[in-house]
Amino acid sequence: MSLLIAGSIATDHLMSFGGRFADSLVVEQLDKLSVSFLVDDLEIRRGGCAGNIAFGLSQLGLRPVLVGAAGEDFADYRSWLERHGVDCDSVRISEDLHTARFVCTTDSTMAQFASFYPGAMSEARLIELGPIAERVGEPTFVLIGPDDPEGMVRHTRECRQRGYAFVADPSQQLAFGEGEMIRELVDGAAYLFSNEYESHLIESKTGWTAAEILSRVGTQVITFGAAGVRIVASDQETIEVGVVPGVVAVEPTGVGDAFRSGFLAALEWRLPHERAAQVGCVLAAYVVEQVGTQEYTFTADEFVARLAMAYGEEAAADVRPHLG
């Protein structure tokens, strides 16, 4: 059995401008806008939802299978992931396009100018899951995260056709997708992940009520930022789990991806939903305390100690046997 993580693979190019963009903008001349800014620094980070989730799973001792499309420039990123235990043999390498790229400049007021180049991500629609399952074994779950929209729909349909349990995580694509596509991505999922705002957006765009959505998925997992997590299923009591206390937040990018990694790892270990959410929250705490989505490290003992501090010794005892 294996975990297939399908979604975006990207690099982030992040720059900081010490001044204010607003001081260089003339409102009456915005239709003729042509400005440049001398930035103070440049950080190039590994990213993409699938890359982040796969990395998180590998940090917990699993060997996830990354499913997505990248360019020839993926070589260094691939080496990083493989050194950390991620199976990258099913990543499609485009012959013509670069790996997806997010380029963003942030000023002193946190205002941003940003661009996203999908590049090779558009070729995710050409990936078939069946041959991957033949290579690694039938998947426990296929997580279908934000990616090329046609690729997301294809993966979802194939999961239904082949009987693979899938996790719907449409995330950023909810803002751009129409109701028909979102209904396609959600219907039949074993798990549906979203934050609070996205859960309302799913209802609005699909035209389904919260109860109707729950009738179409096995379990819905909703994150509420600093307010924690809610897990709703038709066959069990609602579960609410608080975040890890004492966290000093530095950078929120990738926190949701880390939570998904922890939750999926616990499902793979056959732990109950409450434990899954707790493992996810602890992993998310490590990410938010660092700059970069894959820059955190910990030992098994450190992870278990933090879990015990946040959720008690019983939780730690349940998780400890699964960590190397």
Side-chain angles (χ1 to χ4, degrees):
M1 304 294 279
S2 56
L3 288 169
L4 273 55
I5 309 301
S8 59
I9 302 169
T11 55
D12 301 337
H13 292 240
L14 308 178
M15 293 164 279
S16 299
F17 172 59
R20 302 193 320 154
F21 294 144
D23 295 336
S24 299
L25 302 179
V26 179
V27 175
E28 295 80 6
Q29 298 294 316
L30 290 180
D31 61 328
K32 303 178 180 67
L33 182 65
S34 178
V35 295
S36 64
F37 303 96
L38 183 63
V39 298
D40 300 323
D41 54 37
L42 166 66
E43 293 188 32
I44 301 177
R45 303 178 192 161
R46 308 168 190 91
C49 292
N52 292 338
I53 294 171
F55 178 83
L57 284 162
S58 73
Q59 292 298 93
L60 293 171
L62 286 89
R63 183 169 173 76
V65 180
L66 181 59
V67 180
E72 294 287 352
D73 54 339
F74 179 60
D76 287 344
Y77 190 175
R78 177 181 188 141
S79 178
W80 163 267
L81 290 174
E82 289 180 338
R83 289 199 308 273
H84 286 84
V86 177
D87 181 334
C88 295
D89 287 350
S90 293
V91 174
R92 176 186 172 87
I93 302 301
S94 172
E95 297 180 358
D96 306 307
L97 301 171
H98 290 289
T99 301
R101 193 158 302 169
F102 176 67
V103 180
C104 180
T105 303
T106 304
D107 75 0
S108 60
T109 70
M110 296 293 107
Q112 294 182 321
F113 278 118
S115 301
F116 183 78
Y117 165 71
M121 193 175 81
S122 62
E123 295 187 8
R125 67 189 66 179
L126 304 177
I127 299 172
E128 184 179 357
L129 301 178
I132 301 174
E134 290 177 5
R135 179 176 69 84
V136 301
E138 185 169 332
T140 309
F141 293 105
V142 179
L143 181 136
I144 302 171
D147 201 350
D148 170 67
E150 289 189 31
M152 295 171 71
V153 170
R154 176 178 181 173
H155 297 337
T156 304
R157 288 175 176 170
E158 187 176 355
C159 284
R160 281 196 289 261
Q161 290 166 356
R162 295 183 182 274
Y164 300 156
F166 69 95
V167 177
D169 182 21
S171 191
Q172 296 99 322
Q173 293 294 15
L174 289 170
F176 308 104
E178 297 300 327
E180 182 178 354
M181 184 189 87
I182 296 170
R183 288 191 292 270
E184 181 88 43
L185 296 176
V186 168
D187 198 14
Y191 290 86
L192 170 61
F193 280 97
S194 70
N195 60 33
E196 182 182 19
Y197 177 78
E198 290 165 351
S199 69
H200 294 297
L201 193 57
I202 291 170
E203 293 176 27
S204 174
K205 290 207 168 186
T206 61
W208 295 335
T209 65
E212 287 173 327
I213 291 171
L214 194 58
S215 72
R216 294 174 179 272
V217 303
T219 301
Q220 188 170 8
V221 183
I222 306 172
T223 56
F224 292 83
V229 184
R230 180 181 300 155
I231 304 167
V232 186
S234 57
D235 60 348
Q236 66 179 29
E237 294 290 326
T238 296
I239 298 170
E240 294 189 353
V241 173
V243 298
V244 174
V247 172
V248 179
V250 174
E251 165 60 52
T253 306
V255 171
D257 296 335
F259 173 79
R260 287 150 174 75
S261 299
F263 197 98
L264 285 172
L267 292 183
E268 188 76 354
W269 299 332
R270 300 185 184 280
L271 295 179
H273 288 160
E274 181 181 22
R275 291 287 181 265
Q278 291 167 346
V279 173
C281 286
V282 172
L283 196 64
Y286 280 104
V287 174
V288 79
E289 292 172 337
Q290 304 290 330
V291 175
T293 59
Q294 299 178 25
E295 306 305 320
Y296 58 96
T297 60
F298 52 79
T299 66
D301 288 340
E302 288 170 342
F303 190 91
V304 170
R306 194 161 195 182
L307 188 72
M309 179 274 296
Y311 303 111
E313 293 296 338
E314 186 176 344
D318 289 344
V319 171
R320 183 64 184 89
H322 302 286
L323 295 174

